[in-house]
Amino acid sequence: MRYSIALIRSILFWFAFFVMSAISSIGGVVALPISHRGTIFFVRIWAKAHRLFCRFLLGQTIVVEGEMPDIPVLYVFKHESAFETVEQPGLFKHPAVFAKEELFSIPVWGQAARFYGLIPVDRDGGGKAMRAMLNAAKAALAAGRPLVLFAEGTRVPHGEAPPLRPGFAGMYRLLGVDVIPVAVNSGLAFPPRRWVKWPGTITYKIGETIPAGLPREEAEERVRVAINALNPPEALLKA
């Protein structure tokens, strides 16, 4: 019975989300030659609608423990599901999110994402791709935008705490900015790669700011511990 209810709610959620994604993508692309603010508006509406769908169709409650200031720093989020990726334009006014290169090939959505100012991550692009990513990140910081990085590189099941990918250390060293780590336990109610989602509470827990200029090993460990703060304590021992 519980599964049947969750299935029905999930079907309604995905229908509403796909319709809103289509509307927002088309609106964002139509706004391209007219106004950059127009594209930002449509993306924010998309993220805000997603949260409403999670709340009223899936029965999920979102809790934020701590403050997420909208300032030019490097945010590092735990990545358990697609939930926190869609949330970003609603958490911040205009974040610069590092996103996989292949996402930009999605028709319409990819065009809107590029114009919005997401930063492509091409892991096979070598030094040229790294320089382009770094330049885009510096430009975003100069414009006062927060950077958002999912440093584990892919969605990680709740309870697992793998090492951070090397890209974090490179960005941390070359950008020279403070880091704000954010833990999230979205994988419990919004499990990755599964259509059926569950009612429950999704929590963001903001960790202490990690200053720029620390040794690589120390910075990585502090970030890894902080973004896994909502995992079982033994999770950090499994890496």
Side-chain angles (χ1 to χ4, degrees):
M1 185 63 176
R2 179 172 176 264
Y3 180 84
S4 297
I5 294 174
L7 176 61
I8 293 171
R9 298 180 82 164
S10 297
I11 291 172
L12 293 173
F13 166 80
W14 286 116
F15 176 78
F17 179 64
F18 285 142
V19 169
M20 177 53 71
S21 295
I23 293 172
S24 300
S25 296
I26 293 171
V29 170
V30 169
L32 295 184
I34 304 172
S35 170
H36 195 191
R37 289 186 178 180
T39 299
I40 295 172
F41 168 80
F42 279 107
V43 174
R44 281 182 62 80
I45 289 295
W46 174 68
K48 294 289 187 180
H50 173 263
R51 177 172 285 207
L52 289 175
F53 297 155
C54 289
R55 178 68 185 91
F56 294 105
L57 295 180
L58 295 178
Q60 297 172 346
T61 300
I62 291 84
V63 174
V64 179
E65 298 180 0
E67 299 292 331
M68 278 189 274
D70 201 342
I71 57 176
V73 296
L74 176 60
Y75 276 91
V76 177
F77 276 73
K78 179 70 179 177
H79 193 15
E80 291 193 353
S81 74
F83 173 86
E84 56 271 10
T85 60
V86 180
E87 279 265 290
Q88 297 305 319
L91 295 174
F92 307 103
K93 291 181 180 178
H94 188 200
V97 183
F98 293 90
K100 293 184 292 186
E101 174 70 30
E102 51 264 34
L103 294 177
F104 293 85
S105 63
I106 298 175
V108 185
W109 189 94
Q111 291 174 281
R114 196 175 296 276
F115 189 71
Y116 176 83
L118 271 72
I119 301 176
V121 177
D122 183 1
R123 293 172 182 162
D124 300 320
K128 182 179 180 180
M130 182 64 180
R131 286 191 296 273
M133 187 167 61
L134 181 62
N135 289 337
K138 288 181 176 179
L141 291 172
R145 300 170 61 193
L147 300 174
V148 176
L149 177 68
F150 299 100
E152 291 162 316
T154 189
R155 289 168 290 182
V156 175
H158 183 76
E160 295 186 11
L164 307 185
R165 293 186 66 90
F168 163 72
M171 286 292 108
Y172 175 72
R173 178 176 62 84
L174 295 171
L175 293 174
V177 294
D178 293 347
V179 175
I180 299 180
V182 181
V184 60
N185 60 354
S186 58
L188 295 173
F190 209 99
R193 304 175 185 88
R194 295 181 185 176
W195 277 82
V196 177
K197 310 304 180 183
W198 301 94
T201 299
I202 297 177
T203 301
Y204 290 107
K205 184 178 179 63
I206 295 84
E208 294 184 4
T209 300
I210 298 169
L214 295 178
R216 171 176 176 168
E217 294 78 10
E218 180 180 353
E220 287 185 333
E221 185 58 18
R222 288 179 63 173
V223 168
R224 196 173 78 91
V225 170
I227 66 174
N228 288 288
L230 295 172
N231 277 349
E234 62 271 16
L236 290 172
L237 302 176
K238 298 177 182 179

